[in-house]
Amino acid sequence: MPRVAEGPAPVRRVPLRNRPVMRPGRGAFGAILSAGIAILCAVPAWAGDFFTLKGHGGPIKGIELTDDGAIVTASLDNAVGVWRARTPLWLDGHRAAVNTVLALPDGGLLSGSDDFDLRLWDIASGSSTPLAGHRGKVMALALSPDARTAASASWDGLVGLWDLTQPGAPPKLLSGHGSGVNDVAFSADGTRLYSGASDGTVRVWDVASGAQTRLLLQNGFGVNRIILNEAAGWLAYGAVDGVTRVVDLETGAQIADLTLERRPILAMAASPDGTRIAIGDGEGYISIIATDRWSYVADFRATLRGPVWALHFSADGANVHAGGLDTAMYSWPVDGLKDGQRMVSETPSFLVAADAVDNGERQYNRKCSICHALGPAGERRAGPTLHGIMGRHAGALAEYAYSDTLSNSDIVWTDETIDALFDIGPDDYITGSKMPQQRITDAKDRQDLIAFLKRATKKDEQ
C-alpha cells in the first residue's frame, strides 16, 4: 500500500531531463535545458506517493516548482506558499486572490493576482516589488528563454511584456484580443509569444515589436489554457465549451480532438518530458493524455465538489499536483490516479445547503467565510479573523496586513457600520480596502448576519 504523506520529505538531487515542452510559466527552463545547461533540481523522495500540502486558508489557484525542489502554491487567501517542508514560507503582499506564480532562475518568484498587479518576490527576505500596469485580473505568466522578460495574461484584454532587468519600467501592453486573456507561452527562441483568450482565439505576437503576426485559431468559445510544444510542432488548448484540441503550429490544422462531455477546461499541464498532458475541468476531473498517440490513459474524478483550477507535474513526472476548492494542494501518482483519494473531503462552508443553517449563518457562509474565520486562532484567510469583531476598530489586528485605507480608518465595527458596509458595498463604504465588492440588499438578511456575528465571534466563545 503506498505511503501517504502530509508534506514534503527530504530530497535528493538528480539532473533533470531535457524539457521539450514550452508551457506557460516554464518556457525559459525548457530552452535553457535544451541548450545543454544542466540544472539540478530536487526530486522528492516521496515520488510515486500520494500527499497533501495543507495550510492555505482558501482554494488553490496556481502551482509551480522551483529549481531547488520547492513546490509553490498560489491561493484565494491572497498568499503564495513556498513548500520545502510541512510548514511553508508564506509570502503576503497581494491585496486579492493570487492566480498564478512563476519561478525565476535567480531563485525569485513572480506572481499575478486579482488585484491587477504582478509581484516580484525575493524569497529569502519575503519582500516583494509590485509591478503595476494591468487594469484587470492577472491570470497567467510565462518567462522568456533568456529569463529577461515575463509575459502576463490579463482580463483587461491585454498581454503584458515586462522587462525583469528593470522592475520599475512600465510594461509593453499588447492589444488585439477582444476580451480577457487567459494564458500565454513563449516560443523556444523567445521571439514569439502565443496567447489564448476569452474571445476564442489563439494569437501569435512578435516580442520585439509587440505586433500581432498571426491568428492561429478561432474556437468560438473562450480559450482558457494553452500548451506549446514547438519541437513536436503542436499547440494544445482547452476552452470554456469543454473543447480540448491539438493543432499544427504551421498550418493551424487539427491534429487531435480530445473533447469530452465536460466543461469548462480550467487547467492544463505538460509532463517534463512532454509525453503526457494533464487536463482539469469544471466538473472536478483530472485526465491524463499520452501525446505520442493522443489518447486518454487516465480519467479520475478528483473532487465531487467544484472544479480543478491548477495542475502541475512533479519534476520527475511521477506525480500530478492539483488544486481546487479545497484549501490543500493534492498530489497523486500519475500511474495510480484511479485509486486516489478525492479532494474536498468536507463540504466548504460556502457550499453548505441553505436549509442546513439559519439565515444569518447562511449569509456569513456565502458572503464572508471564504475570506474570514470566526475563531481566535485566525486561520490563514484573505481577510482577518472576525473573532471579537463587534466593537473593534477597523484595522486593529497586529497580525494582519491591512490596506492603508483600513489602517488609517476611524471606523468601529457595530451593528450600524456592518449594516452600512453590506448595504452600499465595501467599494463605496471603504474605498481602497481589500474587501471585494458585494452587497446584501435585503435589510433582514443584513440584520440576520449581524445577529449571527454577535453570537459566533464573542471572545469567550468559539
Short mmCIF file of all heavy atoms in Angstrom, two decimals, residues 23-91:
data_model
loop_
_atom_site.label_atom_id
_atom_site.label_comp_id
_atom_site.label_asym_id
_atom_site.label_seq_id
_atom_site.Cartn_x
_atom_site.Cartn_y
_atom_site.Cartn_z
N ARG A 23 5.64 25.38 -22.01
CA ARG A 23 4.31 25.62 -21.48
C ARG A 23 4.30 26.90 -20.66
O ARG A 23 5.35 27.38 -20.26
CB ARG A 23 3.84 24.44 -20.65
CG ARG A 23 4.74 24.09 -19.48
CD ARG A 23 4.36 22.73 -18.92
NE ARG A 23 5.33 22.25 -17.98
CZ ARG A 23 5.32 22.55 -16.70
NH1 ARG A 23 4.41 23.36 -16.23
NH2 ARG A 23 6.23 22.08 -15.88
N PRO A 24 3.12 27.44 -20.40
CA PRO A 24 3.05 28.70 -19.69
C PRO A 24 3.84 28.65 -18.39
O PRO A 24 3.68 27.75 -17.59
CB PRO A 24 1.55 28.88 -19.43
CG PRO A 24 0.90 28.12 -20.52
CD PRO A 24 1.82 26.94 -20.79
N GLY A 25 4.70 29.65 -18.19
CA GLY A 25 5.41 29.78 -16.94
C GLY A 25 6.72 29.02 -16.88
O GLY A 25 7.48 29.16 -15.94
N ARG A 26 7.00 28.15 -17.85
CA ARG A 26 8.22 27.36 -17.74
C ARG A 26 9.03 27.37 -19.04
O ARG A 26 9.97 26.61 -19.21
CB ARG A 26 7.89 25.90 -17.39
CG ARG A 26 7.15 25.77 -16.08
CD ARG A 26 7.95 26.23 -14.89
NE ARG A 26 9.04 25.33 -14.60
CZ ARG A 26 9.94 25.57 -13.67
NH1 ARG A 26 9.92 26.69 -12.98
NH2 ARG A 26 10.91 24.72 -13.43
N GLY A 27 8.66 28.20 -19.99
CA GLY A 27 9.30 28.18 -21.29
C GLY A 27 10.80 28.38 -21.22
O GLY A 27 11.56 27.74 -21.94
N ALA A 28 11.26 29.27 -20.36
CA ALA A 28 12.68 29.58 -20.31
C ALA A 28 13.51 28.38 -19.90
O ALA A 28 14.59 28.14 -20.42
CB ALA A 28 12.94 30.72 -19.33
N PHE A 29 12.98 27.60 -18.97
CA PHE A 29 13.76 26.50 -18.46
C PHE A 29 13.90 25.40 -19.50
O PHE A 29 14.93 24.75 -19.60
CB PHE A 29 13.14 25.96 -17.16
CG PHE A 29 13.00 27.02 -16.12
CD1 PHE A 29 11.75 27.40 -15.66
CD2 PHE A 29 14.12 27.67 -15.63
CE1 PHE A 29 11.63 28.39 -14.71
CE2 PHE A 29 13.99 28.66 -14.68
CZ PHE A 29 12.75 29.03 -14.22
N GLY A 30 12.84 25.19 -20.31
CA GLY A 30 12.96 24.21 -21.37
C GLY A 30 14.04 24.60 -22.35
O GLY A 30 14.83 23.78 -22.80
N ALA A 31 14.10 25.90 -22.68
CA ALA A 31 15.10 26.38 -23.64
C ALA A 31 16.51 26.27 -23.06
O ALA A 31 17.46 25.89 -23.75
CB ALA A 31 14.80 27.82 -24.02
N ILE A 32 16.64 26.62 -21.77
CA ILE A 32 17.95 26.55 -21.14
C ILE A 32 18.46 25.11 -21.11
O ILE A 32 19.60 24.82 -21.46
CB ILE A 32 17.90 27.11 -19.71
CG1 ILE A 32 17.67 28.62 -19.76
CG2 ILE A 32 19.17 26.80 -18.94
CD1 ILE A 32 17.39 29.24 -18.41
N LEU A 33 17.57 24.20 -20.75
CA LEU A 33 17.98 22.81 -20.69
C LEU A 33 18.31 22.26 -22.07
O LEU A 33 19.26 21.49 -22.23
CB LEU A 33 16.88 21.98 -20.02
CG LEU A 33 16.76 22.18 -18.51
CD1 LEU A 33 15.51 21.51 -18.00
CD2 LEU A 33 17.98 21.62 -17.80
N SER A 34 17.49 22.62 -23.07
CA SER A 34 17.74 22.12 -24.41
C SER A 34 19.04 22.67 -24.97
O SER A 34 19.62 22.10 -25.89
CB SER A 34 16.57 22.49 -25.34
OG SER A 34 16.50 23.89 -25.48
N ALA A 35 19.52 23.78 -24.43
CA ALA A 35 20.79 24.33 -24.85
C ALA A 35 21.96 23.58 -24.21
O ALA A 35 23.11 23.87 -24.47
CB ALA A 35 20.89 25.80 -24.50
N GLY A 36 21.64 22.64 -23.35
CA GLY A 36 22.69 21.80 -22.79
C GLY A 36 23.19 22.24 -21.44
O GLY A 36 24.19 21.74 -20.95
N ILE A 37 22.49 23.19 -20.82
CA ILE A 37 22.91 23.64 -19.48
C ILE A 37 22.24 22.74 -18.46
O ILE A 37 21.01 22.68 -18.40
CB ILE A 37 22.51 25.10 -19.25
CG1 ILE A 37 23.20 25.98 -20.29
CG2 ILE A 37 22.89 25.54 -17.85
CD1 ILE A 37 22.78 27.43 -20.21
N ALA A 38 23.00 22.06 -17.67
CA ALA A 38 22.45 21.13 -16.69
C ALA A 38 21.99 21.90 -15.47
O ALA A 38 22.76 22.61 -14.85
CB ALA A 38 23.50 20.10 -16.28
N ILE A 39 20.72 21.76 -15.15
CA ILE A 39 20.18 22.38 -13.94
C ILE A 39 19.80 21.26 -12.97
O ILE A 39 19.08 20.35 -13.34
CB ILE A 39 18.93 23.23 -14.26
CG1 ILE A 39 19.34 24.41 -15.13
CG2 ILE A 39 18.26 23.71 -12.99
CD1 ILE A 39 18.18 25.28 -15.52
N LEU A 40 20.32 21.34 -11.77
CA LEU A 40 20.00 20.34 -10.78
C LEU A 40 18.72 20.71 -10.07
O LEU A 40 18.52 21.85 -9.69
CB LEU A 40 21.14 20.21 -9.76
CG LEU A 40 22.47 19.72 -10.34
CD1 LEU A 40 23.49 19.60 -9.21
CD2 LEU A 40 22.30 18.40 -11.04
N CYS A 41 17.84 19.73 -9.93
CA CYS A 41 16.56 20.01 -9.28
C CYS A 41 16.28 18.92 -8.26
O CYS A 41 16.57 17.75 -8.50
CB CYS A 41 15.46 20.05 -10.32
SG CYS A 41 13.84 20.38 -9.65
N ALA A 42 15.73 19.30 -7.13
CA ALA A 42 15.44 18.34 -6.08
C ALA A 42 14.22 17.52 -6.46
O ALA A 42 13.15 18.06 -6.67
CB ALA A 42 15.18 19.06 -4.76
N VAL A 43 14.38 16.22 -6.56
CA VAL A 43 13.25 15.33 -6.83
C VAL A 43 12.80 14.75 -5.50
O VAL A 43 13.61 14.16 -4.77
CB VAL A 43 13.66 14.20 -7.79
CG1 VAL A 43 12.52 13.22 -7.96
CG2 VAL A 43 14.06 14.78 -9.14
N PRO A 44 11.54 14.92 -5.12
CA PRO A 44 11.08 14.48 -3.81
C PRO A 44 11.31 12.99 -3.58
O PRO A 44 11.14 12.18 -4.48
CB PRO A 44 9.57 14.79 -3.84
CG PRO A 44 9.44 15.86 -4.87
CD PRO A 44 10.48 15.55 -5.90
N ALA A 45 11.68 12.66 -2.37
CA ALA A 45 11.86 11.25 -2.02
C ALA A 45 10.54 10.51 -2.01
O ALA A 45 10.52 9.29 -1.99
CB ALA A 45 12.56 11.15 -0.66
N TRP A 46 9.42 11.25 -1.95
CA TRP A 46 8.11 10.59 -1.93
C TRP A 46 7.57 10.37 -3.35
O TRP A 46 6.41 10.10 -3.54
CB TRP A 46 7.10 11.40 -1.13
CG TRP A 46 6.77 12.73 -1.74
CD1 TRP A 46 5.91 12.96 -2.77
CD2 TRP A 46 7.29 13.99 -1.37
NE1 TRP A 46 5.87 14.29 -3.07
CE2 TRP A 46 6.71 14.95 -2.22
CE3 TRP A 46 8.20 14.42 -0.40
CZ2 TRP A 46 7.01 16.29 -2.14
CZ3 TRP A 46 8.48 15.76 -0.33
CH2 TRP A 46 7.90 16.68 -1.18
N ALA A 47 8.39 10.54 -4.38
CA ALA A 47 7.92 10.36 -5.76
C ALA A 47 7.15 9.06 -5.87
O ALA A 47 7.61 8.01 -5.45
CB ALA A 47 9.11 10.36 -6.71
N GLY A 48 5.98 9.14 -6.45
CA GLY A 48 5.13 7.97 -6.59
C GLY A 48 4.15 7.78 -5.46
O GLY A 48 3.31 6.88 -5.51
N ASP A 49 4.20 8.64 -4.42
CA ASP A 49 3.28 8.55 -3.29
C ASP A 49 2.23 9.66 -3.35
O ASP A 49 2.46 10.72 -3.92
CB ASP A 49 4.04 8.70 -1.96
CG ASP A 49 5.03 7.57 -1.73
OD1 ASP A 49 4.76 6.45 -2.19
OD2 ASP A 49 6.07 7.83 -1.10
N PHE A 50 1.10 9.40 -2.71
CA PHE A 50 0.08 10.43 -2.54
C PHE A 50 0.44 11.31 -1.35
O PHE A 50 0.87 10.81 -0.32
CB PHE A 50 -1.28 9.78 -2.31
CG PHE A 50 -2.35 10.74 -1.87
CD1 PHE A 50 -3.00 11.54 -2.79
CD2 PHE A 50 -2.68 10.87 -0.53
CE1 PHE A 50 -3.97 12.45 -2.38
CE2 PHE A 50 -3.65 11.76 -0.11
CZ PHE A 50 -4.30 12.55 -1.05
N PHE A 51 0.27 12.63 -1.49
CA PHE A 51 0.47 13.52 -0.35
C PHE A 51 -0.33 14.79 -0.54
O PHE A 51 -0.83 15.08 -1.63
CB PHE A 51 1.96 13.84 -0.13
CG PHE A 51 2.59 14.69 -1.20
CD1 PHE A 51 2.65 16.07 -1.09
CD2 PHE A 51 3.15 14.10 -2.33
CE1 PHE A 51 3.25 16.86 -2.08
CE2 PHE A 51 3.75 14.86 -3.32
CZ PHE A 51 3.80 16.25 -3.19
N THR A 52 -0.48 15.54 0.55
CA THR A 52 -1.17 16.82 0.50
C THR A 52 -0.30 17.88 1.16
O THR A 52 0.56 17.57 1.99
CB THR A 52 -2.53 16.78 1.23
OG1 THR A 52 -2.31 16.48 2.62
CG2 THR A 52 -3.44 15.73 0.62
N LEU A 53 -0.53 19.13 0.78
CA LEU A 53 0.11 20.28 1.41
C LEU A 53 -1.00 21.14 1.99
O LEU A 53 -1.79 21.72 1.25
CB LEU A 53 0.94 21.07 0.39
CG LEU A 53 2.11 20.33 -0.26
CD1 LEU A 53 2.81 21.22 -1.28
CD2 LEU A 53 3.09 19.83 0.78
N LYS A 54 -1.05 21.23 3.31
CA LYS A 54 -2.15 21.89 4.00
C LYS A 54 -1.66 23.13 4.73
O LYS A 54 -0.63 23.09 5.39
CB LYS A 54 -2.81 20.93 4.99
CG LYS A 54 -3.40 19.69 4.34
CD LYS A 54 -4.00 18.76 5.38
CE LYS A 54 -4.58 17.52 4.73
NZ LYS A 54 -5.16 16.59 5.75
N GLY A 55 -2.43 24.20 4.64
CA GLY A 55 -2.07 25.41 5.36
C GLY A 55 -2.73 26.66 4.82
O GLY A 55 -2.93 27.62 5.54
N HIS A 56 -3.06 26.65 3.52
CA HIS A 56 -3.74 27.81 2.95
C HIS A 56 -5.13 27.98 3.57
O HIS A 56 -5.75 27.03 4.04
CB HIS A 56 -3.87 27.67 1.43
CG HIS A 56 -2.67 28.13 0.67
ND1 HIS A 56 -2.29 29.46 0.63
CD2 HIS A 56 -1.78 27.46 -0.10
CE1 HIS A 56 -1.22 29.58 -0.13
NE2 HIS A 56 -0.88 28.39 -0.57
N GLY A 57 -5.63 29.20 3.51
CA GLY A 57 -6.96 29.49 4.01
C GLY A 57 -7.96 29.70 2.91
O GLY A 57 -9.07 30.19 3.15
N GLY A 58 -7.60 29.34 1.68
CA GLY A 58 -8.51 29.49 0.54
C GLY A 58 -8.15 28.48 -0.53
O GLY A 58 -7.11 27.80 -0.46
N PRO A 59 -9.00 28.32 -1.54
CA PRO A 59 -8.73 27.39 -2.63
C PRO A 59 -7.42 27.69 -3.34
O PRO A 59 -6.93 28.83 -3.34
CB PRO A 59 -9.92 27.62 -3.57
CG PRO A 59 -11.02 28.10 -2.68
CD PRO A 59 -10.34 28.95 -1.65
N ILE A 60 -6.84 26.67 -3.97
CA ILE A 60 -5.55 26.76 -4.66
C ILE A 60 -5.81 27.09 -6.13
O ILE A 60 -6.51 26.37 -6.83
CB ILE A 60 -4.77 25.44 -4.55
CG1 ILE A 60 -4.65 24.99 -3.09
CG2 ILE A 60 -3.40 25.58 -5.20
CD1 ILE A 60 -3.94 25.94 -2.19
N LYS A 61 -5.20 28.19 -6.62
CA LYS A 61 -5.41 28.63 -7.99
C LYS A 61 -4.19 28.39 -8.90
O LYS A 61 -4.33 28.34 -10.12
CB LYS A 61 -5.74 30.13 -8.04
CG LYS A 61 -7.08 30.49 -7.45
CD LYS A 61 -8.24 29.85 -8.21
CE LYS A 61 -8.34 30.27 -9.67
NZ LYS A 61 -8.68 31.69 -9.85
N GLY A 62 -2.99 28.28 -8.32
CA GLY A 62 -1.79 28.09 -9.14
C GLY A 62 -0.76 27.25 -8.42
O GLY A 62 -0.68 27.27 -7.18
N ILE A 63 0.03 26.48 -9.20
CA ILE A 63 1.08 25.63 -8.64
C ILE A 63 2.32 25.78 -9.52
O ILE A 63 2.23 25.84 -10.74
CB ILE A 63 0.65 24.15 -8.61
CG1 ILE A 63 -0.64 23.98 -7.79
CG2 ILE A 63 1.76 23.27 -8.03
CD1 ILE A 63 -1.27 22.61 -7.91
N GLU A 64 3.49 25.81 -8.88
CA GLU A 64 4.75 25.96 -9.60
C GLU A 64 5.83 25.16 -8.86
O GLU A 64 5.66 24.80 -7.68
CB GLU A 64 5.11 27.45 -9.66
CG GLU A 64 6.46 27.80 -10.24
CD GLU A 64 6.62 27.48 -11.72
OE1 GLU A 64 6.35 26.32 -12.08
OE2 GLU A 64 7.02 28.36 -12.48
N LEU A 65 6.94 24.87 -9.54
CA LEU A 65 8.11 24.24 -8.93
C LEU A 65 9.31 25.16 -9.09
O LEU A 65 9.48 25.78 -10.14
CB LEU A 65 8.42 22.91 -9.61
CG LEU A 65 7.35 21.83 -9.65
CD1 LEU A 65 7.90 20.58 -10.33
CD2 LEU A 65 6.85 21.50 -8.25
N THR A 66 10.14 25.22 -8.06
CA THR A 66 11.39 25.98 -8.16
C THR A 66 12.52 25.02 -8.53
O THR A 66 12.39 23.80 -8.41
CB THR A 66 11.73 26.69 -6.84
OG1 THR A 66 12.02 25.70 -5.85
CG2 THR A 66 10.59 27.57 -6.38
N ASP A 67 13.65 25.57 -8.94
CA ASP A 67 14.77 24.74 -9.34
C ASP A 67 15.38 23.96 -8.19
O ASP A 67 16.04 22.94 -8.40
CB ASP A 67 15.87 25.60 -9.98
CG ASP A 67 15.47 26.07 -11.38
OD1 ASP A 67 14.57 25.45 -11.96
OD2 ASP A 67 16.07 27.05 -11.86
N ASP A 68 15.17 24.42 -6.95
CA ASP A 68 15.74 23.70 -5.81
C ASP A 68 14.74 22.74 -5.17
O ASP A 68 14.96 22.24 -4.08
CB ASP A 68 16.30 24.67 -4.76
CG ASP A 68 15.22 25.52 -4.12
OD1 ASP A 68 14.04 25.43 -4.51
OD2 ASP A 68 15.56 26.31 -3.21
N GLY A 69 13.63 22.47 -5.86
CA GLY A 69 12.72 21.42 -5.43
C GLY A 69 11.53 21.86 -4.63
O GLY A 69 10.72 21.02 -4.22
N ALA A 70 11.37 23.15 -4.35
CA ALA A 70 10.21 23.61 -3.60
C ALA A 70 8.97 23.59 -4.48
O ALA A 70 9.03 23.82 -5.69
CB ALA A 70 10.45 25.01 -3.07
N ILE A 71 7.83 23.32 -3.86
CA ILE A 71 6.53 23.47 -4.50
C ILE A 71 5.98 24.82 -4.08
O ILE A 71 6.03 25.19 -2.90
CB ILE A 71 5.57 22.35 -4.10
CG1 ILE A 71 6.10 20.99 -4.59
CG2 ILE A 71 4.17 22.60 -4.65
CD1 ILE A 71 5.30 19.81 -4.10
N VAL A 72 5.46 25.58 -5.02
CA VAL A 72 4.93 26.91 -4.74
C VAL A 72 3.45 26.91 -5.08
O VAL A 72 3.05 26.45 -6.15
CB VAL A 72 5.66 28.00 -5.54
CG1 VAL A 72 5.18 29.38 -5.14
CG2 VAL A 72 7.17 27.90 -5.34
N THR A 73 2.63 27.44 -4.17
CA THR A 73 1.19 27.47 -4.37
C THR A 73 0.66 28.89 -4.29
O THR A 73 1.13 29.70 -3.49
CB THR A 73 0.47 26.61 -3.32
OG1 THR A 73 0.96 26.95 -2.01
CG2 THR A 73 0.70 25.13 -3.57
N ALA A 74 -0.32 29.19 -5.14
CA ALA A 74 -1.00 30.49 -5.14
C ALA A 74 -2.45 30.25 -4.76
O ALA A 74 -3.07 29.29 -5.23
CB ALA A 74 -0.91 31.13 -6.52
N SER A 75 -3.01 31.14 -3.94
CA SER A 75 -4.32 30.84 -3.35
C SER A 75 -5.25 32.05 -3.30
O SER A 75 -4.82 33.20 -3.35
CB SER A 75 -4.13 30.30 -1.94
OG SER A 75 -5.35 30.17 -1.24
N LEU A 76 -6.54 31.73 -3.16
CA LEU A 76 -7.55 32.76 -2.95
C LEU A 76 -7.40 33.45 -1.60
O LEU A 76 -8.09 34.43 -1.33
CB LEU A 76 -8.95 32.16 -3.05
CG LEU A 76 -9.66 32.37 -4.40
CD1 LEU A 76 -8.96 31.59 -5.51
CD2 LEU A 76 -11.12 31.94 -4.32
N ASP A 77 -6.51 32.95 -0.72
CA ASP A 77 -6.29 33.64 0.55
C ASP A 77 -5.31 34.80 0.41
O ASP A 77 -4.84 35.35 1.40
CB ASP A 77 -5.82 32.66 1.64
CG ASP A 77 -4.44 32.07 1.37
OD1 ASP A 77 -3.79 32.45 0.38
OD2 ASP A 77 -4.01 31.20 2.16
N ASN A 78 -5.00 35.18 -0.84
CA ASN A 78 -4.11 36.31 -1.18
C ASN A 78 -2.63 36.00 -0.98
O ASN A 78 -1.80 36.90 -1.10
CB ASN A 78 -4.43 37.58 -0.35
CG ASN A 78 -5.83 38.10 -0.56
OD1 ASN A 78 -6.63 37.49 -1.26
ND2 ASN A 78 -6.13 39.22 0.05
N ALA A 79 -2.29 34.74 -0.68
CA ALA A 79 -0.92 34.41 -0.32
C ALA A 79 -0.28 33.45 -1.32
O ALA A 79 -0.95 32.72 -2.04
CB ALA A 79 -0.87 33.79 1.07
N VAL A 80 1.06 33.47 -1.31
CA VAL A 80 1.88 32.49 -2.01
C VAL A 80 2.56 31.64 -0.94
O VAL A 80 3.12 32.18 0.02
CB VAL A 80 2.93 33.17 -2.90
CG1 VAL A 80 3.90 32.14 -3.51
CG2 VAL A 80 2.26 33.99 -4.00
N GLY A 81 2.51 30.32 -1.08
CA GLY A 81 3.18 29.42 -0.15
C GLY A 81 4.36 28.74 -0.82
O GLY A 81 4.23 28.23 -1.93
N VAL A 82 5.52 28.73 -0.16
CA VAL A 82 6.72 28.07 -0.68
C VAL A 82 6.99 26.88 0.23
O VAL A 82 7.35 27.04 1.40
CB VAL A 82 7.93 29.02 -0.71
CG1 VAL A 82 9.15 28.32 -1.29
CG2 VAL A 82 7.60 30.28 -1.51
N TRP A 83 6.83 25.67 -0.32
CA TRP A 83 6.85 24.44 0.48
C TRP A 83 8.15 23.68 0.27
O TRP A 83 8.34 23.02 -0.76
CB TRP A 83 5.68 23.54 0.11
CG TRP A 83 4.34 24.20 0.21
CD1 TRP A 83 3.78 25.04 -0.71
CD2 TRP A 83 3.40 24.07 1.27
NE1 TRP A 83 2.54 25.46 -0.29
CE2 TRP A 83 2.27 24.87 0.92
CE3 TRP A 83 3.38 23.36 2.46
CZ2 TRP A 83 1.16 24.97 1.73
CZ3 TRP A 83 2.26 23.45 3.27
CH2 TRP A 83 1.17 24.25 2.91
N ARG A 84 9.05 23.74 1.27
CA ARG A 84 10.22 22.88 1.32
C ARG A 84 10.12 21.91 2.50
O ARG A 84 10.96 21.04 2.68
CB ARG A 84 11.49 23.72 1.45
CG ARG A 84 11.80 24.54 0.21
CD ARG A 84 13.18 25.17 0.29
NE ARG A 84 13.49 25.89 -0.93
CZ ARG A 84 13.23 27.17 -1.14
NH1 ARG A 84 12.63 27.88 -0.18
NH2 ARG A 84 13.54 27.76 -2.27
N ALA A 85 9.10 22.10 3.31
CA ALA A 85 8.82 21.27 4.47
C ALA A 85 7.32 21.34 4.72
O ALA A 85 6.59 21.98 3.97
CB ALA A 85 9.62 21.75 5.68
N ARG A 86 6.87 20.70 5.78
CA ARG A 86 5.44 20.67 6.04
C ARG A 86 4.90 22.04 6.40
O ARG A 86 3.72 22.32 6.21
CB ARG A 86 5.14 19.67 7.16
CG ARG A 86 5.43 18.24 6.76
CD ARG A 86 4.99 17.25 7.81
NE ARG A 86 5.26 15.89 7.40
CZ ARG A 86 4.93 14.82 8.11
NH1 ARG A 86 4.31 14.97 9.27
NH2 ARG A 86 5.21 13.61 7.67
N THR A 87 5.76 22.88 6.99
CA THR A 87 5.37 24.26 7.27
C THR A 87 5.97 25.15 6.19
O THR A 87 7.18 25.22 6.06
CB THR A 87 5.86 24.70 8.65
OG1 THR A 87 5.31 23.85 9.65
CG2 THR A 87 5.44 26.14 8.93
N PRO A 88 5.13 25.84 5.42
CA PRO A 88 5.66 26.62 4.30
C PRO A 88 6.15 27.99 4.72
O PRO A 88 5.86 28.47 5.82
CB PRO A 88 4.44 26.76 3.39
CG PRO A 88 3.30 26.82 4.36
CD PRO A 88 3.67 25.87 5.48
N LEU A 89 6.88 28.62 3.83
CA LEU A 89 7.16 30.04 3.94
C LEU A 89 6.02 30.77 3.26
O LEU A 89 5.69 30.49 2.11
CB LEU A 89 8.48 30.36 3.23
CG LEU A 89 8.80 31.85 3.01
CD1 LEU A 89 9.08 32.53 4.34
CD2 LEU A 89 9.99 32.01 2.07
N TRP A 90 5.40 31.70 3.98
CA TRP A 90 4.28 32.46 3.43
C TRP A 90 4.76 33.79 2.88
O TRP A 90 5.49 34.52 3.54
CB TRP A 90 3.21 32.71 4.50
CG TRP A 90 2.55 31.48 5.01
CD1 TRP A 90 2.63 30.97 6.27
CD2 TRP A 90 1.71 30.58 4.28
NE1 TRP A 90 1.90 29.83 6.37
CE2 TRP A 90 1.32 29.56 5.16
CE3 TRP A 90 1.25 30.54 2.97
CZ2 TRP A 90 0.48 28.51 4.79
CZ3 TRP A 90 0.42 29.50 2.57
CH2 TRP A 90 0.04 28.50 3.48
N LEU A 91 4.34 34.09 1.67
CA LEU A 91 4.63 35.38 1.04
C LEU A 91 3.32 36.15 0.93
O LEU A 91 2.44 35.79 0.16
CB LEU A 91 5.26 35.17 -0.34
CG LEU A 91 6.56 34.35 -0.36
CD1 LEU A 91 7.05 34.18 -1.79
CD2 LEU A 91 7.63 34.99 0.51
#
